Amino acid sequence: MGHTNQSFATEFVFHPFSSVSTTQQLLFVLFLLLYLTIIISNACILWVVCTDHTLHSPMYFFLGSLSGLEVCYTTAVVPQTLVSVWDAHATITVASCGAQMFFFVALGSADCFLLAVMAYDRYVAIRHPLRYALIVTRQLCRWLVVASLCLGGLLSLGLTALVFALPFCGLRINHFLCDVPPVLRLACGDTRLHQTALFSVGVAVLAVPFLLICLSYALITAAVLRIRSAEGRRRAFRTCSSHLTVALLQYGCCGLVYLRPKADSTEEEDRQIALIYTFVTPLLNPLIYSLRNKDIKQALSRAMRRALASQPR
């Protein structure tokens, strides 16, 4: 991997977390355990939403879709991360790096759009409870999820194609995944256009949905305050609190990486924040929803009892 004619480079290598092999092995075990926990917990949410008839409502359809996205989003990144942590000299081809960037940005963007859709769902449920079933139909739910995926895919495809049209002067990515900012830092030419495109996509994916979520919750708060009974207000806020917690965590971490001025960020800070939205956020999402949602807890309990009852004695 010399420094001549690097626009035709075929491989990248990720910067290791540590030069100490024991530390790398401990990180491998930690990341593997986190990955398996993310897959199992999100798969459980998706399973109970699909199989429990009491959860066949728009809110839980979106929650199941979010869990499915989290499984795909994490799987697009973590296996390659585990390989590079286990073997610090492991490489990734340029084509595989481009594919990882596309799926990471596409699924992450769809995740953000879906959180905005879920805020709209809660707004309609609380502001227009009598017309909720007529407004948020099953067909609309499907279209909104598909639209989130398609919009995320289109934005990611354009951004990924723009990045990989560049020649690269370096081959060591100071990160654990093929994210846009660290790959752009390896480019030889002028990247001002690409930085502008990245910021524009960040605004479209993060700022706009977050503003829509804020608007939805402002209207929800106004509607809840008009509810006369204290129990009704508590129940309404409880149904929104889990989603709001997840949204603040997701948009806060991603905004620090993609919307912060380049001069104010460092590669090491970006890598540390990326660990949060790659491992911590997908892990906390099902935990937050399962611990704070009575219906989910009851559905999981029923599913476990059915599974135990079906075991041969």
Side-chain angles (χ1 to χ4, degrees):
M1 296 189 296
H3 290 278
T4 59
N5 200 23
Q6 288 190 351
S7 60
F8 297 98
T10 58
E11 292 179 330
F12 292 120
V13 61
F14 294 109
H15 186 72
F17 284 93
S18 172
S19 58
V20 181
S21 60
T22 305
T23 304
Q24 287 285 98
Q25 291 168 5
L26 289 173
L27 286 173
F28 175 85
V29 174
L30 174 63
F31 290 164
L32 178 60
L33 290 175
L34 286 172
Y35 176 59
L36 293 175
T37 306
I38 289 168
I39 297 300
I40 293 170
S41 57
N42 280 286
C44 286
I45 297 290
L46 183 58
W47 175 48
V48 297
V49 167
C50 291
T51 58
D52 196 303
H53 70 278
T54 63
L55 301 182
H56 290 176
S57 65
M59 181 176 74
Y60 295 112
F61 174 80
F62 291 132
L63 177 57
S65 300
L66 182 67
S67 292
L69 270 179
E70 296 288 13
V71 170
C72 298
Y73 166 83
T74 310
T75 302
V77 175
V78 177
Q80 179 61 47
T81 301
L82 291 172
V83 171
S84 62
V85 169
W86 183 259
D87 180 4
H89 302 290
T91 60
I92 182 172
T93 65
V94 171
S96 296
C97 187
Q100 186 186 68
M101 181 184 291
F102 168 76
F103 285 110
F104 175 73
V105 176
L107 294 169
S109 299
D111 201 319
C112 292
F113 293 139
L114 189 56
L115 286 172
V117 168
M118 293 172 74
Y120 168 75
D121 170 70
R122 291 299 82 208
Y123 159 72
V124 177
I126 292 173
R127 194 72 184 268
H128 305 287
L130 299 180
R131 294 192 293 146
Y132 175 67
L134 295 176
I135 297 174
V136 188
T137 61
R138 183 172 299 182
Q139 185 177 13
L140 177 64
C141 293
R142 290 170 180 165
W143 276 111
L144 288 171
V145 172
V146 171
S148 298
L149 287 167
C150 290
L151 185 55
L154 287 173
L155 290 172
S156 178
L157 181 62
L159 187 60
T160 304
L162 195 63
V163 170
F164 281 89
L166 288 165
F168 298 105
C169 294
L171 299 179
R172 182 176 288 275
I173 302 175
N174 190 17
H175 211 288
F176 60 88
L177 61 92
C178 289
D179 201 0
V180 180
V183 173
L184 271 181
R185 290 188 176 104
L186 303 180
C188 301
D190 185 1
T191 62
R192 284 178 295 180
L193 173 63
H194 304 75
Q195 294 290 347
T196 302
L198 174 60
F199 183 77
S200 300
V201 171
V203 169
V205 170
L206 297 170
V208 173
F210 184 70
L211 289 175
L212 292 175
I213 289 174
C214 291
L215 176 61
S216 296
Y217 275 103
L219 296 173
I220 286 171
T221 302
V224 169
L225 292 177
R226 287 199 294 267
I227 298 175
R228 294 183 178 182
S229 71
E231 178 60 29
R233 287 195 297 269
R234 280 197 298 270
R235 190 164 52 248
F237 277 126
R238 192 165 54 242
T239 62
C240 299
S241 59
S242 298
H243 172 264
L244 189 58
T245 303
V246 169
L248 289 174
L249 187 62
Q250 175 86 358
Y251 288 102
C253 293
C254 293
L256 285 174
V257 173
Y258 298 103
L259 298 180
R260 187 171 50 171
K262 186 180 178 183
D264 296 341
S265 64
T266 65
E267 293 177 330
E268 190 58 32
E269 286 176 348
D270 287 352
R271 189 160 73 149
Q272 291 170 1
I273 296 170
L275 283 171
I276 297 175
Y277 60 72
T278 301
F279 288 99
V280 179
T281 306
L283 176 63
L284 288 181
N285 287 358
L287 292 178
I288 290 170
Y289 278 110
S290 61
L291 292 175
R292 296 176 65 89
N293 189 297
K294 184 175 69 174
D295 293 338
I296 291 289
K297 286 191 288 187
Q298 290 176 347
L300 285 170
S301 177
R302 286 193 296 270
M304 291 181 66
R305 285 199 300 270
R306 287 196 301 268
L308 291 173
S310 63
Q311 293 296 319
R313 297 182 183 275

